[in-house]
Amino acid sequence: MYLVVRFDGDPTFWSLNPGLDSQPMADQLATSTDPISVPVTEPLAGTMLISPRCAGSVAILDQMPIESWIPSGVKAPSSVLYVPTPGGPTPEFPGYSLPEGTNLGELSQEIQTAMKTGGATTTPISTSKGGGKLRIDGNALAFVVLCPPSVPGPEHQ
């Protein structure tokens, strides 16, 4: 069984690690204001941080609707931070690239603190033309996904 979540404002169906139970997650989303951390496997593999107090609506499905499943083939070439977008993650833009050496655990804690307190945090991002900064408003952000770089399988090495 696959557990899938989908948020208002983002077209993506996010597949969670098999074995997660939807009822505890639904209960936690309904009763908690603290951020929730869950592993995601598709379309990006990483950790999803959910802010129950900012998520307008979240659909938690026990199975992927067959008619909506579109394999994306999205791979993160470097560590990325995905924030909700109208088009979802794509091969061209899987999320904001993070500089090499970014500690995803520390960044996760910073984002969860911003989600919990309603504060903001800023993180460096990198592009093919240089770098920049991404401001994350914990008072408005429903979720983010933090992804380590995709590691090619033996068939790609």
Side-chain angles (χ1 to χ4, degrees):
M1 177 191 319
Y2 292 95
L3 183 62
V4 177
V5 294
R6 187 170 187 207
F7 298 82
D8 63 348
D10 188 273
T12 312
F13 285 88
W14 294 95
S15 180
L16 306 183
N17 252 357
L20 288 177
D21 187 355
S22 63
Q23 194 56 50
M25 184 179 193
D27 292 345
Q28 193 173 8
L29 284 169
T31 61
S32 179
T33 56
D34 289 340
I36 300 167
S37 175
V38 295
V40 292
T41 58
E42 294 289 337
L44 292 167
T47 302
M48 175 179 281
L49 306 175
I50 303 169
S51 176
R53 66 184 197 87
C54 294
S57 65
V58 182
I60 304 171
L61 310 168
D62 290 326
Q63 273 184 241
M64 176 67 71
I66 298 299
E67 68 276 3
S68 63
W69 178 251
I70 302 171
S72 65
V74 176
K75 300 290 182 206
S78 63
S79 294
V80 298
L81 171 61
Y82 175 82
V83 295
T85 64
T90 65
E92 295 78 27
F93 183 75
Y96 291 100
S97 293
L98 298 169
E100 190 173 321
T102 298
N103 184 318
L104 294 181
E106 288 177 9
L107 181 55
S108 173
Q109 288 302 311
E110 289 174 24
I111 294 170
Q112 288 181 70
T113 298
M115 287 176 160
K116 185 173 182 168
T117 64
T121 188
T122 303
T123 188
I125 55 174
S126 58
T127 68
S128 60
K129 307 256 188 233
K133 297 220 180 256
L134 176 66
R135 181 180 183 274
I136 299 166
D137 183 350
N139 204 36
L141 187 63
F143 77 98
V144 300
V145 179
L146 291 165
C147 306
S150 296
V151 178
E155 69 278 4
H156 295 100
Q157 293 179 349

